[in-house]
Amino acid sequence: MDEVKQLVTDIKNKNLKPIYLLMGEEAYYIDKISDFIENNVLAEEEKGFNQMVLYGRDVTVEDIVGNAKRFPMMADRQVVIVKEAQDLARTIDKLASYAENPQPSTVLVLCYKYKTVDKRKAVYKKIKKSGVVFESKRLYDNQVPDWIRRVLSTKGYKIAPKASQMLVEFLGTDLSKINNELEKLQIILPEGTEISPSHIEENIGISKDYNNFELRKAIGSRNDAKAFKIVNYFGENPKDNPMVVTVSLLFNFFSQLLQLHGMNDKSPRSVASALRVNPYFVNEYLDAARNFPMRKVSGIIATLREFDVKGKGVNSNAVPQADLLKELLVKILN
């Protein structure tokens, strides 16, 4: 995020490079930087003749180079943006000769999503030397809540840890999807609001009481009644609560507990750092570790592997998801 801010600041200050290679698994920042260049480098009256948006599936590298070598008309520079540039993966190497001596009055932007250009290739090295290479890496699950907090803080909002966890659980690590939901909340809620689990439930439709986060918490505290209540709800709403997701999250949780058992320093700060969890949730992990000894945790991990396969239809004899979840819960809690 800091690298993105610096990039944007440089563009605002007209410290522009002739080539920008925006690549990586996380499309959110690639789109944000590309949109910022598209909207801010040229004045509105200059865009008609000097700004062009191309798509990788529709053009060749030769087409891109031909457009990039043009001179601007009645402006200091032109902007050429190539969206979905990953569709040119097989021929992108041909851009190396242009990257070696790029047109100084052109800002060429390559949006290379969901993958990266081989860093050993000449085209990568030459773009890096003459321009800017930005790699947008996908965030880990544990990094996304902090990203949500930082994004909201720039807009004058706060968010409760549980609320951000609900968003991550429901939407995964897709920052574009999460940002879309955050923007909806900002339209509905006044600036200065602390977004709560109730706000998430009422406006996004994620249940604050019946979700994998609450299931994990109920299991960890050995609240059997609540855990079975949640699992029953999952069984009645399988499309919104797929078993494969539940099993995956529980597997991660018990893997973290196994790691916790092996730690010598179980202070909250050390646990939060080692398990990569928000310090707000550390006590839940410590309670769960007390409720589930290491040997039991090892057995549960093996059980979760078994039910992961069953949940995908292997050796389950078409057993309904609801029944599989109940059976899994019985084995975890007994």
Side-chain angles (χ1 to χ4, degrees):
M1 199 167 179
D2 293 335
E3 188 180 353
V4 175
K5 285 181 180 178
Q6 185 58 55
L7 237 173
V8 168
T9 299
D10 288 343
I11 295 165
K12 279 182 180 176
N13 294 334
K14 303 299 181 184
N15 181 17
L16 294 160
K17 300 294 183 182
I19 307 181
Y20 290 83
L21 172 58
L22 312 176
M23 65 180 191
E25 293 180 3
E26 180 50 67
Y28 174 80
Y29 284 120
I30 294 174
D31 288 336
K32 283 291 182 184
I33 296 168
S34 170
D35 289 347
F36 188 82
I37 292 173
E38 185 174 349
N39 295 327
N40 293 279
V41 169
L42 298 180
E44 284 302 319
E45 63 271 15
E46 296 174 329
K47 290 179 181 178
F49 291 111
N50 299 293
Q51 185 154 286
M52 184 174 295
V53 177
L54 308 172
Y55 288 85
R57 64 179 177 273
D58 299 326
V59 296
T60 64
V61 171
E62 288 78 11
D63 294 330
I64 296 168
V65 171
N67 282 289
K69 284 185 174 180
R70 287 193 312 119
F71 289 99
M73 294 180 63
M74 296 176 288
D76 293 333
R77 59 176 61 88
Q78 68 160 347
V79 175
V80 179
I81 298 173
V82 184
K83 297 191 175 184
E84 312 300 336
Q86 69 276 7
D87 289 338
L88 293 163
R90 293 182 179 178
T91 56
I92 195 76
D93 292 353
K94 294 180 182 179
L95 200 59
S97 57
Y98 175 79
E100 189 170 18
N101 186 28
Q103 181 77 359
S105 58
T106 294
V107 177
L108 174 61
V109 184
L110 303 168
C111 303
Y112 200 90
K113 294 181 181 178
Y114 314 117
K115 54 176 72 174
T116 59
V117 174
D118 190 334
K119 295 176 183 178
R120 298 168 296 181
K121 295 278 183 82
V123 65
Y124 174 88
K125 293 176 181 177
K126 289 178 180 179
I127 291 176
K128 191 170 178 64
K129 185 175 180 180
S130 62
V132 170
V133 175
F134 170 74
E135 184 174 353
S136 185
K137 296 180 180 179
R138 189 173 295 280
L139 298 183
Y140 294 114
D141 289 0
N142 64 291
Q143 295 174 314
V144 179
D146 186 57
W147 179 86
I148 293 171
R149 181 189 60 76
R150 292 173 69 184
V151 167
L152 287 172
S153 68
T154 64
K155 307 289 178 62
Y157 291 83
K158 296 180 180 178
I159 187 166
K162 180 181 173 181
S164 60
Q165 198 69 38
M166 287 168 64
L167 285 171
V168 176
E169 179 199 313
F170 189 72
L171 300 170
T173 60
D174 188 323
L175 301 188
S176 296
K177 284 184 180 179
I178 294 172
N179 189 63
N180 287 341
E181 298 300 335
L182 294 180
E183 287 181 347
K184 290 178 190 175
L185 290 170
Q186 289 164 49
I187 293 170
I188 297 165
L189 303 172
E191 187 176 335
T193 301
E194 180 175 49
I195 297 169
S196 68
S198 295
H199 290 134
I200 301 294
E201 182 175 48
E202 291 163 9
N203 298 294
I204 299 179
I206 308 169
S207 173
K208 65 180 174 59
D209 297 315
Y210 298 96
N211 55 62
N212 285 306
F213 172 79
E214 288 297 325
L215 177 61
R216 186 193 75 187
K217 185 176 178 181
I219 291 172
S221 62
R222 282 199 169 272
N223 187 338
D224 297 18
K226 184 176 180 181
F228 276 103
K229 197 173 179 180
I230 295 170
V231 162
N232 284 332
Y233 177 85
F234 284 4
E236 293 167 2
N237 301 273
K239 289 185 179 179
D240 294 332
N241 304 279
M243 181 175 172
V244 64
V245 174
T246 299
V247 172
S248 175
L249 290 171
L250 289 177
F251 181 86
N252 290 339
F253 175 59
F254 280 100
S255 297
Q256 287 172 311
L257 289 188
L258 193 63
Q259 184 181 351
L260 176 55
H261 276 299
M263 291 176 61
N264 293 321
D265 181 3
K266 292 185 174 64
S267 64
R269 186 172 181 177
S270 295
V271 171
S273 175
L275 302 189
R276 295 181 178 180
V277 298
N278 189 313
Y280 179 86
F281 300 114
V282 165
N283 284 336
E284 292 178 17
Y285 283 83
L286 293 172
D287 288 343
R290 284 190 284 270
N291 288 326
F292 292 90
M294 182 179 281
R295 181 174 294 180
K296 176 65 175 173
V297 171
S298 298
I300 289 171
I301 289 173
T303 299
L304 286 165
R305 286 199 179 102
E306 174 192 342
F307 275 79
D308 178 54
V309 173
K310 285 184 176 181
K312 293 169 181 172
V314 180
N315 299 325
S316 60
N317 297 320
V319 177
Q321 173 179 311
D323 293 341
L324 283 174
L325 281 172
K326 289 173 188 174
E327 183 185 350
L328 171 61
L329 195 52
V330 168
K331 292 195 173 186
I332 289 175
L333 294 173
N334 286 345

